[in-house]
Amino acid sequence: MNLYRSHLHRAALAPRAVLAPVALAVFLSGCSLMPAYERPQAPVPERFTGDTRGPSAAQPVADIGWRDVFTDPSLRAVIELTLANNRDLRVAVLNIEKARAQYGVQRAALLPSVNASLGESASRTPADLSSTGRTVTGQTYSASLGFSAYEIDLFGRVRSLSTQALESFLATAEARRSTQISLVAEVATAYLTLASDQERLKLAQETLLSQSATYQLNQRSFELGVSSALTLRQSQTSVESARVDVEKYLTQVAQDRNALALLMGTELPDHLLPTGLPDSVAVAANPLAQVPPGLSSDLLQRRPDILQAERNLRAANANIGAARAAFYPRISLTANAGSSSASLSGLFKGGSGAWTFAPQVSLPIFNAGANEANLSIAKTDREVYLAQYEKAIQSAFKEVSDALALRSGIERQLSAQTSLVGAADDAYRLSQARFKRGVDSYLSELDSQRTLYAAQQNLIGLRLSQQSNLITFYKALGGGWVENTGQPVATLPATDSSLAP
């Protein structure tokens, strides 16, 4: 009885003896060869080009929700449909799920994978091979719990790879945000482009009606012998030009609607068609139009594409740690504890306890320079991602500077174009009066009408440019991810210590 208890005691201590070295190795695995990460200095000025005023205390543009920027109910509904149906955004979301799963796989390598097994093996040895001269049939039953080839991460190789996978996952999440920001800006621009072409179509249709009426009057005058054939033909050219423009803008509106449907991922309902561009009052009330000068270029760090570039840089930095760890010994453990017996009935009886413990140390001695080459590749990759990160900041700086430069001049252009439309309208009315009184020929009236029509079309184009500029400015500063103002926006910490797995 005492012998039986002693056996049970030793069997109970066996798993502890196996797991104790594992626990010690995990405790000691605090060394990491991954370089300390520091955010690179932004290769752009502190203030945007042409902005010489002091720093602005206004709310960051990235924090302004797109519902507060796009106040038209139809446009809001179109954006909602786009976010729900756009295929590019759907792919970006699926890429996040894939990256999250890949990170989970890599992170799992930090801990041993424990498996339970229950098995049987049978063998038959013929008489001429048996030491007893008789045929021998044997069976063995086993049940065990253990792990195989678990790497003790003494030099941080596994943790470096886990950090790299984490940063790649976070970069994918930033790519999804960047996709949404671009998508919101594109669908808003496409919607306003459709609105502007509808206004152009309406103007062309009104001009066609007006010129058709004038042509009919000139035709009656010609039939009565009051006006010449030249006047009639000049009036006809105006009608045909207006008809050409009507057909042109009908085609353009159809194409605009098709482009918007592609962005939305579904058909545009008729009740959501735009009625026209926002008026000057709505533009002046837009929070983007009220952003004061003095913007700091540090705001660019809130853009998802720049955050994505930095996440990729962090991942490359972590990969250097894994490449350095390849120069050092790699320790792996295989261990299991359980029971073995020649009969199934005796598998869990006293005296059937069994365990194995197989540590292995692998030390690189000669690999023809493969480790040095891998380390060189990892360092080069980091320099590549550093250059891409700096280029992303420079490109973002240019986009914001261009948007600010255009915003400063677009209002003056609109003011001048509005005055031009007013003057052209007055000139057209005077030309009509002088022609009716016989003072001028119809060519003068026709020229005034064409000048007015061109000025009105250009005014619509400038109004669209003003709206597009606000959207570009919003996108360039990272706006479009937040739905409502006040919703928190994720930012990247200055160091990566908080991201350690």
Side-chain angles (χ1 to χ4, degrees):
M1 185 67 176
N2 289 334
L3 291 175
Y4 179 70
R5 290 180 177 176
S6 176
H7 172 75
L8 290 179
H9 179 68
R10 288 195 301 271
L13 289 178
R16 301 181 185 178
V18 173
L19 295 177
V22 179
L24 179 61
V26 172
F27 177 75
L28 293 176
S29 61
C31 177
S32 176
L33 301 177
M34 184 171 58
Y37 175 81
E38 292 184 3
R39 174 177 287 176
Q41 186 71 26
V44 293
E46 293 183 359
R47 295 277 175 260
F48 291 104
T49 304
D51 192 353
T52 58
R53 303 191 186 185
S56 171
Q59 183 182 32
V61 173
D63 293 345
I64 303 176
W66 59 259
R67 287 186 175 276
D68 295 321
V69 173
F70 307 113
T71 56
D72 181 77
S74 296
L75 178 54
R76 285 180 177 177
V78 168
I79 293 176
E80 289 175 356
L81 286 173
T82 302
L83 296 180
N85 296 282
N86 181 266
R87 299 310 188 269
D88 291 334
L89 189 60
R90 187 175 301 175
V91 169
V93 173
L94 294 175
N95 285 336
I96 291 179
E97 297 301 323
K98 178 181 177 181
R100 180 185 287 113
Q102 290 173 335
Y103 168 61
V105 171
Q106 188 60 55
R107 186 179 177 85
L110 292 170
L111 298 174
S113 177
V114 180
N115 299 300
S117 63
L118 179 65
E120 174 196 3
S121 64
S123 64
R124 179 183 181 277
T125 304
D128 57 345
L129 296 179
S130 172
S131 59
T132 61
R134 292 180 299 176
T135 301
V136 178
T137 301
Q139 291 179 314
T140 302
Y141 298 90
S142 64
S144 63
L145 183 69
F147 52 87
S148 176
Y150 168 61
E151 181 177 348
I152 305 300
D153 196 26
L154 290 178
F155 301 100
R157 189 187 75 88
V158 178
R159 283 182 290 116
S160 294
L161 293 176
S162 179
T163 300
Q164 179 194 27
L166 172 63
E167 295 295 345
S168 297
F169 158 60
L170 295 176
T172 307
E174 297 297 345
R176 184 255 189 247
R177 293 178 57 199
S178 182
T179 300
Q180 176 168 326
I181 287 174
S182 298
L183 184 59
V184 169
E186 287 179 12
V187 74
T189 301
Y191 184 86
L192 293 174
T193 300
L194 174 59
S196 67
D197 285 337
Q198 284 185 318
E199 285 197 9
R200 289 189 174 103
L201 174 61
K202 182 180 178 181
L203 177 61
Q205 290 172 335
E206 292 175 348
T207 302
L208 176 59
L209 290 175
S210 174
Q211 294 306 310
S212 296
T214 302
Y215 174 73
Q216 291 175 359
L217 290 175
N218 288 332
Q219 188 175 29
R220 285 196 295 269
S221 298
F222 173 74
E223 292 172 353
L224 295 174
V226 177
S227 63
S228 64
L230 177 60
T231 299
L232 180 63
R233 295 311 173 196
Q234 288 174 337
S235 178
Q236 184 180 2
T237 60
S238 179
V239 173
E240 299 303 333
S241 295
R243 183 177 289 114
V244 168
D245 280 354
V246 167
E247 296 301 325
K248 179 180 71 174
Y249 289 119
L250 280 172
T251 302
Q252 190 62 50
V253 165
Q255 292 176 339
D256 292 342
R257 189 165 179 174
N258 292 337
L260 186 55
L262 177 61
L263 285 173
M264 294 174 61
T266 184
E267 289 297 323
L268 176 65
D270 291 337
H271 69 277
L272 294 181
L273 284 172
T275 57
L277 291 171
D279 55 26
S280 58
V281 176
V283 173
N286 193 298
L288 298 180
Q290 301 174 13
V291 175
L295 296 176
S296 171
S297 60
D298 291 340
L299 294 174
L300 297 177
Q301 297 292 346
R302 305 170 71 91
R303 280 181 46 145
D305 58 336
I306 293 179
L307 295 177
Q308 178 187 2
E310 187 169 2
R311 293 293 187 189
N312 289 330
L313 177 60
R314 287 173 178 262
N317 188 73
N319 195 40
I320 293 178
R324 286 176 174 175
F327 289 88
Y328 294 87
R330 185 178 301 181
I331 303 174
S332 62
L333 299 178
T334 298
N336 62 69
S339 177
S340 297
S341 175
S343 63
L344 183 59
S345 60
L347 184 59
F348 297 104
K349 289 184 178 181
S352 62
W355 59 269
T356 61
F357 178 62
Q360 183 179 7
V361 179
S362 175
L363 177 64
I365 296 177
F366 176 75
N367 54 18
N371 287 341
E372 289 84 352
N374 288 330
L375 179 59
S376 177
I377 291 173
K379 290 181 177 180
T380 303
D381 283 343
R382 181 179 61 178
E383 294 304 314
V384 170
Y385 283 112
L386 174 61
Q388 291 177 348
Y389 169 70
E390 293 176 340
K391 179 62 179 295
I393 293 180
Q394 291 174 339
S395 299
F397 185 86
K398 176 184 179 299
E399 290 177 8
V400 177
S401 298
D402 288 346
L404 289 172
L406 181 58
R407 187 178 73 162
S408 63
I410 194 70
E411 293 183 1
R412 294 190 295 271
Q413 294 181 51
L414 273 172
S415 177
Q417 190 68 31
T418 302
S419 298
L420 176 60
V421 170
D425 185 62
D426 291 340
Y428 176 57
R429 296 180 185 279
L430 291 173
S431 297
Q432 279 185 317
R434 291 174 65 86
F435 170 70
K436 291 178 180 180
R437 294 177 182 177
V439 178
D440 287 335
S441 66
Y442 183 73
L443 182 62
S444 177
E445 178 184 348
L446 181 60
D447 183 64
S448 298
Q449 184 272 329
R450 289 173 176 172
T451 300
L452 173 60
Y453 180 72
Q456 290 172 328
Q457 293 283 10
N458 289 336
L459 180 60
I460 295 174
L462 280 175
R463 290 171 58 203
L464 175 62
S465 297
Q466 183 187 39
Q467 291 289 311
S468 299
N469 172 249
L470 292 178
I471 296 172
T472 301
F473 180 64
Y474 186 48
K475 172 188 172 184
L477 284 175
W481 165 250
V482 178
E483 182 174 358
N484 298 298
T485 302
Q487 183 177 337
V489 181
T491 56
L492 195 65
T495 62
D496 62 353
S497 59
S498 63
L499 299 177

